[in-house]
Amino acid sequence: MINRVVLVGRLTRDPDLRYTNSGTSVASFTVAVDRNFTNQQGNREADFINCVVWGKSAENFANFTHKGSLVGIEGRIQTRSYENQQGNRVYVTEVVTENFSLLESKAESDRYRAQHGGSASSAPRQQSQSSFGGNPYGAPTNNQGSYQQDNAYGNGNNDAMQDPFAGNGSKTDISEDDLPF
Amino acid sequence: MINRVVLVGRLTRDPDLRYTNSGTSVASFTVAVDRNFTNQQGNREADFINCVVWGKSAENFANFTHKGSLVGIEGRIQTRSYENQQGNRVYVTEVVTENFSLLESKAESDRYRAQHGGSASSAPRQQSQSSFGGNPYGAPTNNQGSYQQDNAYGNGNNDAMQDPFAGNGSKTDISEDDLPF
Amino acid sequence: MINRVVLVGRLTRDPDLRYTNSGTSVASFTVAVDRNFTNQQGNREADFINCVVWGKSAENFANFTHKGSLVGIEGRIQTRSYENQQGNRVYVTEVVTENFSLLESKAESDRYRAQHGGSASSAPRQQSQSSFGGNPYGAPTNNQGSYQQDNAYGNGNNDAMQDPFAGNGSKTDISEDDLPF
Amino acid sequence: MINRVVLVGRLTRDPDLRYTNSGTSVASFTVAVDRNFTNQQGNREADFINCVVWGKSAENFANFTHKGSLVGIEGRIQTRSYENQQGNRVYVTEVVTENFSLLESKAESDRYRAQHGGSASSAPRQQSQSSFGGNPYGAPTNNQGSYQQDNAYGNGNNDAMQDPFAGNGSKTDISEDDLPF
DNA sequence: TTTT
DNA sequence: TTTT
């Protein structure tokens, strides 16, 4: 049973960092990957692939990427469903990120920020703190610091169907030392 | 720009073979991939990943797999959207198959068919011939024999947003000679 | 920086399980993957890809596979070099397995063993215990139980150039409970 | 039977473009992929992965990359062997590129060239024209323009064991129109 | 024999 | 040195 995805593309917006009830971080973002062929009108389309990343990696990801960032993503396809406010079942397909890499130099990234007026990477953007309940990401509930990405026998989201984000709005304050790159 | 998926799993049902207006074959199917970890209740869940395969490969796929078949899939994630009958935009994420392999011996497959009463692989199941209009797969329209899977510069579906299946119901009659395996 | 490999193929021989000086298990094996095209003589060739797997997974792998087993392998390409007995530098390219799956039912596997006279999977083959020094796999040396496959920031072999196998010949005696599948 | 590789890394040198007896282009290059963990001395090592690319793609690749270029590579692992001049069998493991992407902007690339005195991408570097016989790449011999990368049933090198490069030194003169990106 |  |  194999489920492996590799993407290289650009973020369509700043990643959205949230917290589960139990305090686990989760960032969601969309990667635009240009197709390597053109359509009948001669235009190159793109696929817009929804992704999530959990735990410490979520914080790193959110603090060091922004709209337009070129990223490499390794992970797996996850499907899940939830009931929306109208009582309909909604089916979701997304990529659970198990590893990522930043494919732009800091110079390039700064050049981007200069043009777009974002904060510098040494002063990471304030992450979202608002609570919210409508988002259907299933949150791991066994998460007293033990969350493990990329371990062979317990990747990702252990409870795909549970309600997730009740957003306690706790701030993180990560330092350079914590970075995986 | 990289967009690569590899799956190994089992079909949740017989593949559904259809035809576009212009006569291109397309098979759709769902692969169940067991997760390699268990949830909090100690159960192993699975991801149910929607896939399509185009052209001659669609016919091969439909004729040599069935519910329960163990298959390997290589492809890319495609996102597209369409308007449903209620006028709402529906977003779809699926895997466009560029290569597949059958991971069961004919013996295994026959054993399955014996237990489930399906047709033998030497007498391929009759493919679906009914027309239908509600299915939102974008069909390639430049498909006078020129459809190419897995070619570097024009993979997959060249017109992701167009209406697809008006199902002309033409029969295919493929022979053993045409098989890629 | 991405380095991702997925293989599905058959073992060309029983996996070879050894131990490093510090007692870490490592299994090496070769996966034959048939090409999906034929050569000019009309024959289908195969690629024979050398792989290693470390730690507990090595023991599981060795005990539940054998010559001919159909396996799925996820990992990364590793390159390393060592000096051989003639004083020449030898370059090695191999796949470091981070995750694997057995793609045959126990029934299939038993059928194979019945025909080939191997031991049953409930009575795992005795692993190799002989010491040996000529094999150039770099062994992790921080391995007091802390070896981690598939963790995001410290996969695999942490000391790729060091001498490895002085084979202490310690026996393992794993039980069903330890299995990742 | 699946054999899939994705790499993102930097070229360790300019790609080496050669020609087979029958005039097929082939470029060889090495991709350095930094590991995402450090060794015991706290240093980050890299894997140096040998790759080839055939046909028109070889020419594109050679003309638009150089030492240091950040590239994405999709392909498969190929193993082959040849007899060297001392009469010993040499085993080779390399990645056959089926698709690639340039992950640096033209600006970045030009910046590099400005600093290193290379030719501009609009005036592609003169490819190697010298003949040579010692290189053991097996050359496809059915290559009267019919060479196909990335087609499902006949990828890559159809004659993996034959002597390859007798280098006829024919010049190519590709134009912008031919580029796949 | 290795890249930033 | 290779597997079904």
Side-chain angles (χ1 to χ4, degrees):
Chain A
M1 297 304 195
I2 290 174
N3 180 343
R4 189 71 0 212
V5 174
V6 181
L7 304 175
V8 172
R10 293 189 180 273
L11 301 196
T12 61
R13 47 176 165 61
D14 286 358
D16 185 24
L17 182 63
R18 307 264 179 163
Y19 303 92
T20 65
N21 274 330
S22 43
T24 304
S25 310
V26 56
S28 60
F29 55 96
T30 298
V31 178
V33 185
D34 292 336
R35 295 180 182 168
N36 55 6
F37 55 93
T38 54
N39 65 14
Q40 294 193 277
Q41 288 76 45
N43 301 320
R44 185 171 304 275
E45 298 179 31
D47 294 291
F48 298 98
I49 301 166
N50 293 323
C51 302
V52 291
V53 56
W54 288 94
K56 190 103 191 87
S57 293
E59 297 167 25
N60 292 331
F61 192 91
N63 284 319
F64 289 84
T65 66
H66 48 75
K67 184 181 177 185
S69 291
L70 184 68
V71 297
I73 299 291
E74 297 182 60
R76 59 185 179 84
I77 297 178
Q78 174 171 84
T79 61
R80 57 188 173 82
S81 70
Y82 66 99
E83 197 120 342
N84 68 8
Q85 282 139 340
Q86 291 79 52
N88 301 121
R89 186 136 295 266
V90 180
Y91 293 89
V92 177
T93 299
E94 69 208 341
V95 171
V96 178
T97 304
E98 292 174 353
N99 212 356
F100 67 86
S101 49
L102 309 182
L103 298 178
E104 282 175 324
S105 64
K106 191 165 178 325
E108 283 255 305
S109 202
D110 287 352
R111 211 170 293 134
Y112 173 91
R113 285 169 184 285
Q115 292 171 343
H116 294 74
S119 57
S121 57
S122 51
R125 148 174 27 93
Q126 181 63 46
Q127 52 275 61
S128 161
Q129 295 179 37
S130 55
S131 104
F132 95 117
N135 186 303
Y137 292 123
T141 53
N142 60 336
N143 43 25
Q144 44 280 21
S146 74
Y147 179 81
Q148 292 276 357
Q149 271 183 311
D150 285 59
N151 67 326
Y153 316 128
N155 285 334
N157 182 342
N158 290 318
D159 187 354
M161 295 307 143
Q162 211 150 295
D163 185 300
F165 294 92
N168 60 5
S170 64
K171 259 185 262 191
T172 37
D173 203 13
I174 69 168
S175 87
E176 291 286 330
D177 307 2
D178 302 321
L179 293 175
F181 43 85
Chain B
M1 296 304 194
I2 290 174
N3 180 343
R4 189 70 1 210
V5 174
V6 181
L7 305 175
V8 173
R10 292 189 180 275
L11 300 196
T12 61
R13 46 177 166 64
D14 286 359
D16 185 24
L17 182 63
R18 307 264 180 163
Y19 304 91
T20 66
N21 274 330
S22 43
T24 304
S25 309
V26 57
S28 59
F29 56 97
T30 298
V31 178
V33 186
D34 293 335
R35 296 181 182 166
N36 53 8
F37 55 92
T38 53
N39 65 14
Q40 294 193 276
Q41 288 75 47
N43 302 320
R44 185 170 304 276
E45 297 179 31
D47 294 292
F48 299 97
I49 301 166
N50 293 322
C51 301
V52 291
V53 56
W54 287 94
K56 191 107 193 78
S57 293
E59 296 167 24
N60 292 331
F61 192 91
N63 283 319
F64 289 85
T65 65
H66 47 75
K67 183 181 178 186
S69 291
L70 184 68
V71 297
I73 298 291
E74 297 182 60
R76 59 186 180 82
I77 297 178
Q78 175 172 84
T79 61
R80 57 189 174 81
S81 70
Y82 66 99
E83 196 119 344
N84 68 8
Q85 282 139 340
Q86 292 79 51
N88 301 122
R89 185 137 296 265
V90 178
Y91 293 89
V92 177
T93 298
E94 69 208 341
V95 170
V96 178
T97 303
E98 291 173 354
N99 213 355
F100 67 86
S101 48
L102 309 181
L103 299 178
E104 283 175 324
S105 63
K106 192 166 177 321
E108 283 255 305
S109 202
D110 287 351
R111 212 169 294 135
Y112 173 92
R113 285 169 184 283
Q115 292 172 342
H116 295 73
S119 56
S121 57
S122 52
R125 146 172 31 90
Q126 182 64 45
Q127 52 274 60
S128 161
Q129 296 179 37
S130 55
S131 104
F132 94 117
N135 186 303
Y137 292 124
T141 53
N142 61 335
N143 42 24
Q144 44 278 21
S146 74
Y147 179 81
Q148 291 276 356
Q149 271 183 311
D150 285 58
N151 66 327
Y153 316 129
N155 286 334
N157 182 343
N158 289 318
D159 187 353
M161 294 306 142
Q162 213 149 294
D163 184 302
F165 294 90
N168 60 6
S170 64
K171 260 185 261 190
T172 37
D173 202 12
I174 68 169
S175 87
E176 292 285 330
D177 307 0
D178 301 322
L179 293 176
F181 44 86
Chain C
M1 297 300 193
I2 290 174
N3 180 344
R4 189 74 357 214
V5 174
V6 181
L7 305 175
V8 172
R10 292 187 180 276
L11 301 196
T12 62
R13 46 174 165 62
D14 286 358
D16 184 24
L17 181 63
R18 308 263 181 165
Y19 303 93
T20 66
N21 274 332
S22 43
T24 304
S25 309
V26 56
S28 59
F29 55 96
T30 298
V31 178
V33 185
D34 293 335
R35 295 181 182 165
N36 54 7
F37 55 93
T38 54
N39 65 14
Q40 293 194 275
Q41 288 75 46
N43 301 320
R44 186 169 304 273
E45 298 179 31
D47 293 291
F48 299 98
I49 300 166
N50 294 321
C51 301
V52 291
V53 56
W54 288 94
K56 191 102 192 88
S57 293
E59 297 167 26
N60 292 332
F61 192 91
N63 283 319
F64 289 85
T65 65
H66 48 75
K67 184 179 177 185
S69 289
L70 184 69
V71 297
I73 298 290
E74 296 183 61
R76 58 185 180 83
I77 298 179
Q78 174 171 84
T79 60
R80 58 188 173 81
S81 70
Y82 66 99
E83 197 120 341
N84 68 7
Q85 282 139 340
Q86 291 80 52
N88 301 121
R89 187 138 292 269
V90 179
Y91 293 89
V92 176
T93 299
E94 69 208 342
V95 170
V96 178
T97 303
E98 289 173 356
N99 212 356
F100 67 87
S101 49
L102 308 181
L103 298 177
E104 283 174 324
S105 63
K106 191 163 176 324
E108 283 256 303
S109 203
D110 286 351
R111 212 170 293 134
Y112 172 91
R113 286 169 184 282
Q115 292 171 341
H116 294 73
S119 57
S121 59
S122 52
R125 147 172 31 91
Q126 180 64 45
Q127 50 275 61
S128 162
Q129 296 180 39
S130 55
S131 104
F132 96 116
N135 187 301
Y137 292 124
T141 55
N142 61 335
N143 42 23
Q144 45 278 23
S146 73
Y147 178 81
Q148 290 275 357
Q149 272 183 309
D150 286 56
N151 67 326
Y153 314 130
N155 285 333
N157 181 341
N158 289 319
D159 186 352
M161 295 304 143
Q162 211 149 294
D163 185 303
F165 294 90
N168 60 6
S170 64
K171 260 184 264 190
T172 36
D173 202 12
I174 69 168
S175 87
E176 293 285 332
D177 307 359
D178 302 322
L179 294 177
F181 42 86
Chain D
M1 297 302 193
I2 290 175
N3 179 343
R4 189 74 356 214
V5 174
V6 180
L7 305 175
V8 172
R10 292 189 180 275
L11 301 196
T12 62
R13 47 177 165 64
D14 286 359
D16 184 25
L17 182 62
R18 308 263 181 165
Y19 303 92
T20 66
N21 274 331
S22 43
T24 303
S25 308
V26 56
S28 58
F29 56 96
T30 298
V31 178
V33 185
D34 293 335
R35 295 180 183 167
N36 55 7
F37 55 92
T38 54
N39 65 15
Q40 293 194 277
Q41 288 76 45
N43 301 320
R44 186 170 303 274
E45 299 179 29
D47 293 292
F48 298 99
I49 301 166
N50 294 322
C51 301
V52 292
V53 56
W54 287 94
K56 192 102 191 90
S57 293
E59 296 166 26
N60 292 332
F61 193 91
N63 284 318
F64 289 85
T65 65
H66 48 74
K67 184 180 177 184
S69 290
L70 185 68
V71 297
I73 299 291
E74 295 183 61
R76 58 186 180 83
I77 298 178
Q78 174 172 84
T79 60
R80 58 189 172 82
S81 70
Y82 66 99
E83 198 120 340
N84 69 7
Q85 282 140 340
Q86 292 80 51
N88 301 121
R89 188 138 292 269
V90 179
Y91 294 89
V92 177
T93 299
E94 69 207 342
V95 170
V96 178
T97 304
E98 290 174 354
N99 212 355
F100 67 86
S101 49
L102 308 181
L103 298 178
E104 283 175 324
S105 63
K106 192 165 175 325
E108 284 253 304
S109 203
D110 286 352
R111 212 170 294 134
Y112 172 91
R113 286 167 183 284
Q115 292 170 341
H116 295 74
S119 58
S121 60
S122 52
R125 148 172 29 91
Q126 180 64 44
Q127 50 276 63
S128 162
Q129 296 180 36
S130 55
S131 104
F132 96 115
N135 187 303
Y137 292 124
T141 55
N142 61 336
N143 42 25
Q144 44 279 21
S146 73
Y147 179 81
Q148 290 275 357
Q149 274 183 308
D150 285 56
N151 66 326
Y153 315 128
N155 286 333
N157 182 340
N158 289 319
D159 186 352
M161 295 305 143
Q162 211 150 295
D163 184 301
F165 295 91
N168 60 5
S170 64
K171 259 184 264 191
T172 35
D173 203 13
I174 69 169
S175 89
E176 292 285 333
D177 307 1
D178 302 321
L179 294 176
F181 42 85

